[in-house]
Amino acid sequence: MKIITIIGARPQFIKAAVVSRAIQENNLISKNTKIEEKIINTNQHYDANMSDVFFKEMHIPQPHYNLHLGGGMQGAMTGRMLENIECILIDEKPDYVLIYGDTNSTLAGALAAVKLHIPVVHIEAGLRSFNMNMPEEVNRILSDRISTLLLCPTDTAVKNLKDESIISGVYNVGDVMYDAVKFYGNVAKPTELVKQLAMEPYFLATVHRAENTDDIDRLRNIMRALEMIGETQRVILPLHPRTRKIMEMNKIILNKVSVIEPVGYFDILFLLKNATVVLTDSGGMQKETYFFEKPCITLRDETEWVELVQCGANILVGADYNKILDAVRKNKVSENVFKEQLYGDGNSGQKIIEILQQRQK
Ligand code: UD1
Ligand code: UDP
């Protein structure tokens, strides 16, 4: 069986690490069909600390193709990716194309494959925010519509697809990000810089979503709230390059917050594990905060990870200064909320391989 995996953005490196590992295990120990995986990296994310660090730490196989297509406008970026991926798929003729999540790389991969009648396998299918202003929501809905196998992380995701009459090829395999935390959480070692910063109690924050960075009022409100928290509490903010650039352009300066460069996976696991509270607009970090049994304050108006809000582990505060500070004041979450296995059992990678193997028979 031949698979082409398409990745390009930070969270996709982390998710694909899990499945590549499961493929390698399949090839080593199982009597199943061997799987040949070739990776296309669109390089949507290209800075070393947004990309290379994950390949090194997580031992992701080197991509066969690096396309260097990051940056620029949404449409242009997606179009360039589509054109380049199509050429590769014509040459490689894979049995399946694997795509992850909801980025422009995801949609470009799905479109290129479906037009060549290559079955698309969407990992992290079925998530919905019901906010079509988000580029991610557009990418997900379109990718799901043209996928052959829709591998969902939650029951909610399965139901979302059912509501759109997508039933065939749908499986709940759990969340590959839980596999990643379980596996790498045991081997991760932080850097000295991060260890030093984490010596005293701290809140961990990340901000990068378009709805927060491209709306300057929202961005100012969030940063003003982080500054206020920083008056009495260490706040560590590994800053996404998108946000850094927009803050620099708009002269938004933080004096009370420990702003650092984006960190690698090992550092972020350490920071999540030892934080008092996490404030974030990241999809992945909402779940990771749950895995580390910490309260999450989500800087968004809605979330795809609704089960976290329902169980009380996560509170949505948008970009509202008062709501953010209010949530910080009431940051207690009962330990019981972390007892449920909302995202599977940490064996999603293996389940994905089993589904592919069964389909091949
Ligand atoms: C993308 C995804 C988003 C995901 C995020 C993960 C889309 C539409 N968005 O958003 O869903 O949550 O990745 O982090 O695909 N930049 C750099 N260096 C880098 C990467 C980005 O400087 O290594 C800067 C560039 O100025 C770039 C901007 O960040 O233009 C935005 O990058 P882009 O990949 O378009 O979107 P993200 O905000 O990263
Ligand atoms: N992450 C990281 N370093 C950082 C910030 C985040 O390794 O400085 C990890 C984070 O723990 C999660 C993934 O990147 O596993 C999430 O990516 P991001 O927040 O960029 O995207 P999203 O999940 O919102 O699409």
Side-chain angles (χ1 to χ4, degrees):
M1 188 193 317
K2 180 168 174 180
I3 284 174
I4 293 276
T5 294
I6 296 171
I7 51 180
R10 171 167 71 185
Q12 293 170 325
F13 303 137
I14 293 163
K15 293 166 198 171
V18 169
V19 179
S20 289
R21 186 171 291 279
I23 289 174
Q24 285 159 19
E25 271 168 21
N26 170 84
N27 291 350
L28 269 180
I29 57 172
S30 111
K31 294 192 187 75
N32 283 327
T33 314
K34 296 267 183 272
I35 299 175
E36 181 193 7
E37 181 189 36
K38 287 193 175 176
I39 295 176
I40 301 178
N41 184 358
T42 65
N43 308 99
Q44 178 170 342
H45 288 170
Y46 44 87
D47 293 345
N49 56 14
M50 297 289 290
S51 168
D52 299 359
V53 65
F54 301 98
F55 282 86
K56 283 194 200 110
E57 287 180 342
M58 304 179 87
H59 298 292
I60 305 168
Q62 277 310 303
H64 282 76
Y65 301 93
N66 280 299
L67 303 184
H68 305 291
L69 297 174
M73 299 291 289
Q74 297 276 317
M77 185 203 291
T78 314
R80 288 194 307 266
M81 289 175 184
L82 173 57
E83 190 177 354
N84 281 267
I85 295 169
E86 182 178 61
C87 291
I88 299 171
L89 296 183
I90 289 169
D91 281 349
E92 292 284 354
K93 298 183 184 49
D95 296 303
Y96 296 99
V97 165
L98 255 59
I99 55 167
Y100 290 87
D102 52 22
T103 72
N104 293 338
S105 303
T106 314
L107 178 61
L111 277 172
V114 77
K115 282 169 184 282
L116 295 168
H117 307 291
I118 301 166
V120 177
V121 181
H122 188 192
I123 295 168
E124 215 182 63
L127 296 178
R128 297 291 180 266
S129 65
F130 303 99
N131 175 359
M132 284 298 277
N133 287 325
M134 291 176 67
E136 293 86 1
E137 184 76 353
V138 176
N139 291 340
R140 299 179 190 118
I141 290 178
L142 298 178
S143 298
D144 281 342
R145 183 65 189 78
I146 56 182
S147 291
T148 300
L149 286 176
L150 298 104
L151 307 183
C152 300
T154 59
D155 289 337
T156 312
V158 173
K159 182 179 177 301
N160 288 338
L161 292 174
K162 194 168 172 221
D163 291 346
E164 293 172 19
S165 302
I166 303 174
I167 297 160
S168 165
V170 176
Y171 300 84
N172 180 352
V173 293
D175 198 312
V176 287
M177 289 190 106
Y178 186 39
D179 294 31
V181 166
K182 275 183 74 177
F183 182 82
Y184 295 97
N186 289 327
V187 293
K189 293 220 166 40
T191 57
E192 248 343 280
L193 166 83
V194 159
K195 245 196 316 200
Q196 288 301 324
L197 272 177
M199 294 287 245
E200 64 179 76
Y202 62 90
F203 287 10
L204 175 65
T206 72
V207 182
H208 75 277
R209 289 299 177 130
E211 73 248 38
N212 285 332
T213 55
D214 296 6
D215 180 331
I216 208 66
D217 290 337
R218 286 181 71 100
L219 189 60
R220 279 190 203 285
N221 285 342
I222 291 171
M223 294 306 165
R224 207 157 55 84
L226 295 184
E227 277 284 87
M228 178 50 91
I229 300 164
E231 293 275 353
T232 53
Q233 172 75 49
R234 173 163 284 181
V235 178
I236 302 178
L237 175 66
L239 198 55
H240 193 289
R242 174 194 197 105
T243 319
R244 184 182 286 277
K245 284 176 186 169
I246 295 175
M247 284 174 67
E248 279 169 7
M249 259 168 14
N250 290 279
K251 302 198 170 33
I252 302 176
I253 295 160
L254 299 175
N255 296 310
K256 306 282 181 192
V257 174
S258 302
V259 181
I260 56 174
E261 289 293 318
V263 295
Y265 191 59
F266 289 0
D267 274 343
I268 204 80
L269 289 180
F270 182 82
L271 286 172
L272 283 158
K273 189 173 177 185
N274 296 296
T276 314
V277 172
V278 176
L279 298 107
T280 190
D281 60 6
S282 160
M285 282 180 57
Q286 290 175 59
K287 291 171 290 170
E288 288 164 343
T289 305
Y290 180 81
F291 301 146
F292 286 106
E293 306 193 356
K294 300 292 159 85
C296 187
I297 298 173
T298 295
L299 306 165
R300 289 186 45 197
D301 298 325
E302 71 286 301
T303 180
E304 303 75 37
W305 307 103
V306 287
E307 50 288 320
L308 295 175
V309 178
Q310 283 155 6
C311 77
N314 189 345
I315 176 165
L316 296 174
V317 293
D320 186 309
Y321 176 84
N322 290 321
K323 279 193 190 164
I324 297 171
L325 295 184
D326 223 37
V328 165
R329 265 179 238 116
K330 304 179 187 147
N331 79 55
K332 289 277 170 290
V333 173
S334 146
E335 277 174 23
N336 290 335
V337 307
F338 300 112
K339 295 231 158 77
E340 269 184 82
Q341 284 210 314
L342 297 173
Y343 299 101
D345 57 7
N347 291 309
S348 302
Q350 207 185 320
K351 284 182 194 145
I352 289 167
I353 302 307
E354 278 163 19
I355 290 168
L356 287 171
Q357 291 285 10
Q358 267 166 22
R359 205 171 177 274
Q360 199 69 0
K361 277 183 189 157

